[in-house]
Amino acid sequence: MRLYIATENAGKLREMRAIFGAALPAVQLFCIADLPEVKRTAYKAEETATTYAGNALIKVKALGPLVGADAWVLGEDSGFEVEALRGAPGVYSARYAENDAARCAKILRALEGMPGKERRAQFVACVALLDPGGNPTLFFGRKTGFVAPAAKGGNGFGYDSIFCPELGGPTWGELTGAEKNNDSHRSRALQSVMTYLKSMEVPG
Ligand code: IMP
């Protein structure tokens, strides 16, 4: 089975390869960079939807026509939701500030002085899987935890350095990739994808 991943985010791609590779070794994974240049440059997926599902569908529908007729396509949209900020940055997580460090600093500033147990937050992932006939199916994953008092750890990407799954515990930025992938919003959504593919008896 050939599966194309519709992301230009290197952190997400790395995690998806690790999660899939370990569980479904026969799935051949490809990404946008594997396409011939003319198709690579034709891939345009503007995240204009206001929901994770809407954006995940935009990504797979943009890539679907550019891959071979036998290939599946997987697209993921995700975000970080802070309860005290009424769910912000949420679906706008990638655009909340100029870069990862500024985005994390903006959240830490907004929560300054707030006690640990009031700093509840969660990561949410929506995965859209497009079959070779162009039919999409959606899968969701969520991981709850807390915003750390300060950014810690250089592993991962995005908001990993300010997210603690356990109050007072290490941030995702301090964990190895394998430790994070063991139980993350993304791995939860992808576990459902893999169960689905196995139930469809798709080879791999
Ligand atoms: P998008 O799905 O391309 O809109 O990007 C989602 C954004 O949410 C990323 O750019 C990160 O800022 C954030 N995000 C999603 N998943 C994670 C994660 O596993 N760790 C840290 N940040 C994440």
Side-chain angles (χ1 to χ4, degrees), residues 7 9 12 15 47 55 59 76-80 90-91 93-95 100 103 123-124 157-160 172 180 184-186:
T7 186
N9 179 320
K12 282 189 187 182
E15 290 185 8
E47 295 183 29
N55 283 332
K59 292 172 191 180
E76 187 249 43
D77 199 66
S78 47
F80 188 48
V91 75
S93 292
R95 290 161 276 171
D100 283 348
R103 290 188 267 271
F123 278 108
V124 177
F157 69 99
Y159 300 89
D160 280 346
W172 269 355
K180 175 185 170 187
S184 72
H185 54 312
R186 184 160 297 108

Side-chain angles (χ1 to χ4, degrees), residues 116 121 143-149 162-172 174-175 183 188:
K143 178 71 184 173
T144 58
F146 299 86
V147 175
I162 60 164
F163 179 71
C164 302
E166 304 293 337
L167 191 58
T171 68
W172 269 355
E174 296 176 287
L175 300 187
D183 190 19
R188 287 179 177 194

